[in-house]
Amino acid sequence: MSTICGPAERTVNILLFSPEERIAGSARIRLSGTRARHLRDVFGATPGKQLRAGEIGGDIGEATLESLDSDSVTLHFRAQHAPPAKRPLTVVLALPRPKMLRRMLRTVAETGVRDLHLVNARRVEKSYWQSGLLDTATLEQYLLSGLEQSIDSVLPALQVHRGFRPFAEDHLPALARGRRALLAHPAATRPCPADGDTETLLMIGPEGGFIDYEASLALRAGLLPVSLGSRILRAETALTALLGRFLVAPR
Amino acid sequence: MSTICGPAERTVNILLFSPEERIAGSARIRLSGTRARHLRDVFGATPGKQLRAGEIGGDIGEATLESLDSDSVTLHFRAQHAPPAKRPLTVVLALPRPKMLRRMLRTVAETGVRDLHLVNARRVEKSYWQSGLLDTATLEQYLLSGLEQSIDSVLPALQVHRGFRPFAEDHLPALARGRRALLAHPAATRPCPADGDTETLLMIGPEGGFIDYEASLALRAGLLPVSLGSRILRAETALTALLGRFLVAPR
């Protein structure tokens, strides 16, 4: 089944649809808007065409295009298998600037992170929180573009915390309990571990890092400071490089 | 010393200058163009201001702003220490599409990769080679933006190979000899190792991967196929995630 080439920067290896796009709960789905136009105009799909497809939150399978008109596309979906397993990873991420947020959320979904917490921090600019990008639909679009890349149909569970201290004091200790919990910290001397089958929480600061007070609250919550070397990396690079250490199970 | 905020998407933690910008080989340097305007208009630098600076290919130290006019800025540079050590990494990368190339080269320099080979492959679109982005000055700019992030002054050694087979047959065996040589391959069963002090060659394919013939030439050159898990990652994500496995020396 061919890759569905997406807009610039976006590879779509699976056509994802929501349960509401099923026609009366049947195996037939109707898409409208961008995806319908894209299938018709860019991908050049015609009736009979088969595509890899997946229901958001559900199974992955094959969709056969039945009909298309100027507004919509109707397909028949046949579920074939469960989505790929998530990595046993919980990521706590200081809210990045809007442009990085899009790519970082895509990377989180693409690499199979199971749980994501976006948190405030002192060095997160206040304007990032006022950004129109933070509504749920937009955040989900970013995550979906990651799923479309790595052929997954299940969104990471996302929680947003606008106060650092309430998060660090009221939520983080429970999140850290019973799992390996790591704080990425440039000053740490312990190298970040690298193995993929241990239930892990990974906390990553904003550009410029967490301030000492924030780091101390994280340590008090049970996190262990770990390092990825002494270079100052962009938050985006640090996130992906850290995730790389947890993508593969040891032999 | 403060961060020199760069244009959108670009953090400049060190002001880099080339040997030719020294005035008659002295400790005084004169910058013109974008960097001069940026120092004046965005960073608001005035005489006496001290900045972290580094000579491209040379040492890192401190620059004191002496004077500035509408066209140029004159600074006095005092070398303080050698640049950070490179990682013992040679990356062989199938030429990515232009927009990814910029970010991937930045990441290569940012993470301290020592040697970079850009190579052709069957699934590299021919148009990427015609792109105006491939002149040396542009590629160096991409690499410099990575150095500016992670406070380094030495460019990775870059070689460009426009033919895959001549590269794989005539160069790759010598590059692989005497070091751990790895081919990132989705079908590999051996997990990619993760340690930072072994001399390593890491070869990464284009979007869609190397074709079987190319992979077989790489294996014949002595490379070992390794995996980063079963998900299809964007080339950019794969590069950074793979590099993450080599950024930290084991305890």
Side-chain angles (χ1 to χ4, degrees):
Chain A
M1 228 166 306
S2 34
T3 292
I4 310 161
C5 288
E9 291 285 303
R10 190 163 167 206
T11 306
V12 178
N13 289 316
I14 182 169
L15 177 74
L16 293 174
F17 63 92
S18 67
E20 296 74 42
E21 288 171 313
R22 285 182 183 266
I23 300 173
S26 74
R28 294 174 71 211
I29 55 180
R30 182 177 291 133
L31 307 180
S32 55
T34 312
R35 280 170 308 157
R37 278 197 303 279
H38 195 80
L39 276 176
R40 193 187 62 225
D41 300 339
V42 182
F43 191 53
T46 50
K49 179 81 190 176
Q50 295 193 322
L51 310 163
R52 190 190 286 122
E55 180 167 17
I56 298 168
D59 283 339
I60 288 174
E62 197 176 77
T64 306
L65 200 153
E66 290 190 340
S67 64
L68 71 180
D69 60 30
S70 58
D71 295 328
S72 70
V73 174
T74 304
L75 306 104
H76 183 273
F77 176 67
R78 194 165 63 86
Q80 291 173 317
H81 58 82
K86 293 290 184 198
R87 309 300 314 180
L89 282 172
T90 300
V91 170
V92 177
L93 187 65
L95 183 69
R97 67 179 111 136
K99 203 164 176 182
M100 270 202 186
L101 177 67
R102 179 176 63 80
R103 293 204 297 262
M104 290 171 82
L105 261 59
R106 182 177 64 187
T107 299
V108 161
E110 179 183 346
T111 51
V113 170
R114 189 193 53 213
D115 294 284
L116 173 65
H117 297 261
L118 288 173
V119 301
N120 194 20
R122 177 71 164 276
R123 296 203 177 108
V124 170
E125 281 188 28
K126 284 201 170 51
S127 64
Y128 300 173
W129 287 106
Q130 288 142 15
S131 149
L133 305 175
L134 282 173
D135 67 281
T136 308
T138 305
L139 296 176
E140 276 195 13
Q141 278 308 314
Y142 296 164
L143 294 168
L144 284 170
S145 75
L147 300 181
E148 288 170 344
Q149 165 66 42
S150 65
I151 311 182
D152 194 352
S153 53
V154 177
L155 289 163
L158 170 65
Q159 288 185 48
V160 177
H161 308 271
R162 286 173 180 259
F164 181 85
R165 190 169 163 181
F167 170 76
E169 291 185 340
D170 303 339
H171 294 284
L172 194 52
L175 285 174
R177 201 170 301 133
R179 53 166 67 97
R180 178 170 63 182
L182 309 171
L183 173 68
H185 201 285
T189 52
R190 183 190 303 261
C192 181
D195 66 76
D197 58 359
T198 305
E199 187 60 53
T200 301
L201 177 143
L202 181 63
M203 184 163 176
I204 302 172
E207 302 283 330
F210 286 118
I211 61 171
D212 289 345
Y213 172 71
E214 292 164 343
S216 73
L217 285 186
L219 301 192
R220 201 180 304 160
L223 276 68
L224 193 70
V226 294
S227 161
L228 199 63
S230 56
R231 286 173 182 259
I232 304 176
L233 304 178
R234 287 177 305 127
E236 190 183 355
T237 307
L239 169 70
T240 312
L242 284 162
L243 288 177
R245 300 183 72 80
F246 301 104
L247 296 186
V248 184
R251 275 196 283 183
Chain B
M1 229 168 305
S2 34
T3 292
I4 311 161
C5 288
E9 290 285 303
R10 190 166 168 203
T11 306
V12 178
N13 290 315
I14 182 170
L15 176 74
L16 293 174
F17 63 93
S18 67
E20 296 75 42
E21 287 169 314
R22 285 184 185 264
I23 299 173
S26 73
R28 295 174 70 211
I29 55 179
R30 182 177 291 133
L31 306 181
S32 55
T34 312
R35 279 169 308 156
R37 277 197 304 279
H38 195 78
L39 275 176
R40 194 187 60 226
D41 300 340
V42 182
F43 190 53
T46 50
K49 179 82 189 175
Q50 295 194 320
L51 310 163
R52 192 190 285 120
E55 180 166 19
I56 297 168
D59 283 339
I60 287 173
E62 198 175 78
T64 306
L65 200 152
E66 291 190 339
S67 64
L68 71 178
D69 60 30
S70 58
D71 293 329
S72 70
V73 174
T74 305
L75 306 105
H76 183 273
F77 176 67
R78 193 166 64 87
Q80 291 173 319
H81 57 84
K86 294 291 185 196
R87 308 302 313 180
L89 282 172
T90 300
V91 170
V92 176
L93 187 65
L95 183 70
R97 66 178 109 136
K99 204 165 174 180
M100 270 202 186
L101 177 67
R102 179 176 63 80
R103 292 203 297 262
M104 290 171 82
L105 260 59
R106 183 176 62 186
T107 299
V108 160
E110 179 183 344
T111 51
V113 170
R114 189 192 53 213
D115 294 284
L116 173 65
H117 297 261
L118 288 173
V119 302
N120 194 20
R122 178 69 164 276
R123 295 201 177 111
V124 170
E125 281 188 30
K126 282 201 173 49
S127 65
Y128 300 173
W129 288 104
Q130 288 143 16
S131 147
L133 306 176
L134 281 173
D135 68 279
T136 308
T138 304
L139 296 176
E140 278 196 12
Q141 279 306 316
Y142 297 164
L143 294 169
L144 284 171
S145 74
L147 300 181
E148 287 170 344
Q149 165 66 42
S150 64
I151 312 184
D152 194 351
S153 53
V154 177
L155 290 162
L158 169 65
Q159 289 185 48
V160 177
H161 308 270
R162 286 173 180 261
F164 182 85
R165 189 168 162 183
F167 169 77
E169 291 185 340
D170 302 340
H171 294 285
L172 194 53
L175 286 174
R177 201 170 301 134
R179 53 167 66 97
R180 177 169 64 181
L182 309 172
L183 173 68
H185 201 286
T189 51
R190 181 191 306 259
C192 181
D195 66 76
D197 59 358
T198 305
E199 187 58 56
T200 300
L201 178 144
L202 181 62
M203 184 165 176
I204 302 172
E207 302 282 332
F210 286 117
I211 62 171
D212 289 346
Y213 172 71
E214 291 165 341
S216 73
L217 285 187
L219 301 191
R220 201 180 304 158
L223 277 67
L224 193 70
V226 294
S227 162
L228 200 63
S230 57
R231 285 172 183 259
I232 304 175
L233 303 178
R234 287 176 308 125
E236 192 183 353
T237 308
L239 169 69
T240 312
L242 284 162
L243 288 176
R245 300 183 73 78
F246 302 104
L247 295 187
V248 183
R251 275 196 283 183

Coordinates of all heavy atoms in Angstrom, one line a residue, chain B residues 112-150:
Chain B
G112 N 27.8 17.6 18.2 CA 29.2 17.4 18.3 C 29.7 16.2 17.4 O 30.8 15.7 17.6
V113 N 28.9 15.9 16.3 CA 29.4 14.9 15.4 C 30.7 15.5 14.7 O 30.8 16.6 14.4 CB 28.3 14.7 14.3 CG1 28.9 13.8 13.1 CG2 27.1 14.0 14.9
R114 N 31.7 14.6 14.6 CA 33.0 15.0 14.0 C 33.1 15.0 12.5 O 33.6 15.9 11.9 CB 34.1 14.1 14.6 CG 35.5 14.6 14.3 CD 36.5 13.5 14.7 NE 36.1 12.3 13.9 CZ 36.2 11.0 14.4 NH1 36.8 10.8 15.5 NH2 35.8 10.0 13.7
D115 N 32.5 14.0 11.9 CA 32.6 13.8 10.4 C 31.2 13.6 9.8 O 30.5 12.7 10.4 CB 33.5 12.7 10.1 CG 34.9 12.9 10.5 OD1 35.6 13.7 9.7 OD2 35.4 12.3 11.5
L116 N 30.9 14.2 8.7 CA 29.6 14.0 8.1 C 29.8 13.8 6.6 O 30.6 14.5 5.9 CB 28.7 15.3 8.3 CG 27.4 15.3 7.5 CD1 26.5 14.2 8.0 CD2 26.7 16.6 7.6
H117 N 29.2 12.7 6.1 CA 29.2 12.5 4.7 C 27.8 12.5 4.2 O 26.9 11.8 4.7 CB 29.8 11.1 4.4 CG 31.2 10.9 4.8 ND1 32.2 11.0 3.9 CD2 31.8 10.7 6.0 CE1 33.4 10.9 4.5 NE2 33.2 10.7 5.8
L118 N 27.5 13.4 3.2 CA 26.2 13.4 2.6 C 26.3 12.6 1.3 O 27.1 12.8 0.5 CB 25.7 14.8 2.2 CG 25.4 15.7 3.4 CD1 25.1 17.2 2.9 CD2 24.1 15.2 4.1
V119 N 25.4 11.6 1.2 CA 25.5 10.7 0.0 C 24.1 10.7 -0.8 O 23.1 11.0 -0.2 CB 25.8 9.3 0.4 CG1 27.2 9.2 1.2 CG2 24.8 8.6 1.2
N120 N 24.2 10.3 -2.0 CA 23.1 10.0 -2.8 C 22.5 8.7 -2.4 O 23.1 7.9 -1.8 CB 23.4 10.1 -4.3 CG 22.2 10.2 -5.2 OD1 21.1 10.6 -4.7 ND2 22.4 9.8 -6.4
A121 N 21.2 8.4 -2.8 CA 20.6 7.1 -2.7 C 19.5 7.1 -3.7 O 19.0 8.1 -4.2 CB 20.1 6.9 -1.3
R122 N 19.0 5.9 -4.0 CA 17.9 5.8 -5.0 C 16.7 6.6 -4.6 O 16.1 7.2 -5.4 CB 17.6 4.3 -5.1 CG 16.4 4.0 -6.0 CD 16.8 4.2 -7.5 NE 15.9 3.6 -8.4 CZ 15.9 2.3 -8.7 NH1 16.9 1.5 -8.3 NH2 15.0 1.8 -9.5
R123 N 16.3 6.6 -3.3 CA 15.1 7.3 -2.9 C 15.4 8.8 -2.6 O 14.5 9.4 -2.0 CB 14.4 6.5 -1.8 CG 13.9 5.1 -2.2 CD 12.9 4.6 -1.3 NE 12.4 3.3 -1.8 CZ 12.6 2.1 -1.2 NH1 13.3 2.1 -0.1 NH2 12.2 1.0 -1.8
V124 N 16.5 9.3 -2.9 CA 16.8 10.7 -2.8 C 16.3 11.4 -4.1 O 16.7 11.0 -5.2 CB 18.3 11.1 -2.6 CG1 18.5 12.5 -2.7 CG2 18.7 10.5 -1.2
E125 N 15.3 12.3 -4.0 CA 14.8 12.9 -5.2 C 15.9 13.7 -5.9 O 16.7 14.4 -5.3 CB 13.7 13.8 -4.9 CG 12.4 13.1 -4.7 CD 11.2 14.1 -4.5 OE1 11.2 15.2 -5.2 OE2 10.2 13.7 -3.8
K126 N 16.0 13.5 -7.2 CA 17.1 14.2 -8.0 C 17.1 15.7 -7.8 O 18.1 16.3 -7.8 CB 16.9 13.8 -9.5 CG 17.4 12.4 -9.9 CD 17.7 12.3 -11.4 CE 18.4 11.0 -11.7 NZ 17.6 9.9 -11.1
S127 N 15.9 16.2 -7.6 CA 15.8 17.7 -7.5 C 16.6 18.2 -6.2 O 17.0 19.3 -6.2 CB 14.3 18.1 -7.4 OG 13.7 17.6 -6.2
Y128 N 16.7 17.3 -5.2 CA 17.4 17.8 -4.0 C 18.9 18.2 -4.4 O 19.5 19.0 -3.7 CB 17.4 16.7 -2.9 CG 16.1 16.3 -2.4 CD1 16.0 15.2 -1.6 CD2 14.9 16.9 -2.8 CE1 14.8 14.8 -1.1 CE2 13.7 16.5 -2.3 CZ 13.6 15.4 -1.5 OH 12.4 15.0 -1.0
W129 N 19.4 17.5 -5.4 CA 20.8 17.7 -5.8 C 20.9 19.0 -6.6 O 22.0 19.6 -6.6 CB 21.4 16.6 -6.5 CG 21.7 15.4 -5.7 CD1 20.9 14.2 -5.6 CD2 22.7 15.2 -4.7 NE1 21.4 13.4 -4.7 CE2 22.6 13.9 -4.1 CE3 23.8 16.0 -4.3 CZ2 23.4 13.5 -3.2 CZ3 24.7 15.5 -3.4 CH2 24.5 14.3 -2.8
Q130 N 19.8 19.4 -7.2 CA 19.9 20.7 -8.0 C 19.6 21.9 -7.1 O 19.8 23.0 -7.5 CB 18.9 20.6 -9.1 CG 19.3 19.6 -10.2 CD 18.1 18.8 -10.8 OE1 17.0 19.2 -10.6 NE2 18.4 17.7 -11.5
S131 N 19.2 21.6 -5.9 CA 18.8 22.7 -5.0 C 20.0 23.6 -4.8 O 21.2 23.2 -4.7 CB 18.4 22.1 -3.7 OG 18.7 22.9 -2.6
G132 N 19.7 24.9 -4.8 CA 20.8 25.9 -4.5 C 21.3 25.8 -3.1 O 22.3 26.5 -2.8
L133 N 20.7 25.0 -2.3 CA 21.2 24.9 -0.9 C 22.5 24.1 -0.7 O 23.0 24.1 0.3 CB 20.1 24.1 -0.1 CG 18.7 24.7 -0.2 CD1 17.7 23.8 0.6 CD2 18.7 26.1 0.4
L134 N 22.9 23.5 -1.8 CA 24.1 22.6 -1.7 C 25.4 23.2 -1.9 O 26.4 22.6 -1.9 CB 23.9 21.4 -2.6 CG 22.9 20.3 -2.0 CD1 22.6 19.2 -3.0 CD2 23.5 19.7 -0.7
D135 N 25.4 24.6 -2.0 CA 26.8 25.2 -2.1 C 27.4 25.2 -0.7 O 26.7 25.2 0.3 CB 26.7 26.6 -2.8 CG 26.0 27.5 -1.9 OD1 24.8 27.5 -1.9 OD2 26.7 28.3 -1.2
T136 N 28.7 25.2 -0.7 CA 29.4 25.0 0.5 C 29.1 26.1 1.6 O 28.9 25.8 2.8 CB 31.0 25.1 0.3 OG1 31.2 24.1 -0.8 CG2 31.8 24.7 1.5
A137 N 28.9 27.3 1.1 CA 28.6 28.4 2.1 C 27.3 28.2 2.8 O 27.2 28.4 4.0 CB 28.6 29.8 1.3
T138 N 26.3 27.7 2.0 CA 25.0 27.4 2.7 C 25.1 26.3 3.6 O 24.6 26.4 4.8 CB 23.9 27.1 1.6 OG1 23.9 28.2 0.6 CG2 22.6 27.0 2.2
L139 N 25.7 25.2 3.2 CA 25.9 24.1 4.1 C 26.6 24.5 5.4 O 26.2 24.1 6.5 CB 26.6 22.9 3.4 CG 25.9 22.3 2.2 CD1 26.8 21.3 1.6 CD2 24.5 21.7 2.6
E140 N 27.6 25.3 5.3 CA 28.4 25.8 6.4 C 27.5 26.6 7.3 O 27.6 26.6 8.6 CB 29.6 26.6 6.0 CG 30.8 25.7 5.7 CD 32.1 26.5 5.6 OE1 32.1 27.6 6.1 OE2 33.0 25.9 5.1
Q141 N 26.6 27.4 6.8 CA 25.7 28.2 7.6 C 24.8 27.4 8.4 O 24.6 27.6 9.6 CB 24.8 29.2 6.7 CG 25.5 30.4 6.3 CD 26.1 31.2 7.4 OE1 25.5 31.4 8.5 NE2 27.3 31.7 7.3
Y142 N 24.3 26.3 7.8 CA 23.5 25.3 8.6 C 24.3 24.8 9.8 O 23.8 24.6 10.9 CB 23.0 24.2 7.7 CG 22.1 24.6 6.6 CD1 21.9 23.8 5.5 CD2 21.5 25.9 6.6 CE1 21.0 24.1 4.5 CE2 20.6 26.2 5.5 CZ 20.4 25.4 4.5 OH 19.6 25.7 3.4
L143 N 25.5 24.3 9.5 CA 26.3 23.8 10.5 C 26.7 24.8 11.6 O 26.7 24.5 12.8 CB 27.6 23.2 9.9 CG 27.4 22.0 9.0 CD1 28.7 21.6 8.2 CD2 27.0 20.7 9.7
L144 N 27.0 26.0 11.2 CA 27.3 27.1 12.1 C 26.2 27.3 13.1 O 26.4 27.5 14.3 CB 27.7 28.4 11.4 CG 29.1 28.4 10.7 CD1 29.2 29.6 9.9 CD2 30.2 28.4 11.8
S145 N 24.9 27.2 12.6 CA 23.8 27.5 13.5 C 23.8 26.4 14.6 O 23.3 26.7 15.7 CB 22.5 27.6 12.8 OG 22.1 26.4 12.3
G146 N 24.2 25.2 14.3 CA 24.3 24.2 15.4 C 25.4 24.5 16.4 O 25.2 24.3 17.6
L147 N 26.6 24.9 15.8 CA 27.7 25.3 16.7 C 27.3 26.5 17.7 O 27.7 26.5 18.8 CB 28.9 25.7 15.9 CG 29.5 24.7 15.0 CD1 30.8 25.2 14.3 CD2 29.9 23.4 15.7
E148 N 26.5 27.4 17.1 CA 26.1 28.6 17.9 C 25.2 28.2 19.0 O 25.1 28.8 20.1 CB 25.4 29.6 17.0 CG 26.3 30.3 16.0 CD 25.5 31.1 15.0 OE1 24.3 30.8 14.8 OE2 26.1 32.0 14.4
Q149 N 24.5 27.1 18.9 CA 23.6 26.6 19.9 C 24.4 25.9 21.0 O 24.2 26.2 22.2 CB 22.6 25.6 19.3 CG 21.9 24.7 20.4 CD 21.0 25.5 21.3 OE1 20.2 26.4 20.8 NE2 21.0 25.2 22.6
S150 N 25.4 25.1 20.6 CA 26.0 24.2 21.7 C 27.4 24.7 22.0 O 28.2 24.0 22.6 CB 26.0 22.8 21.3 OG 26.8 22.6 20.1

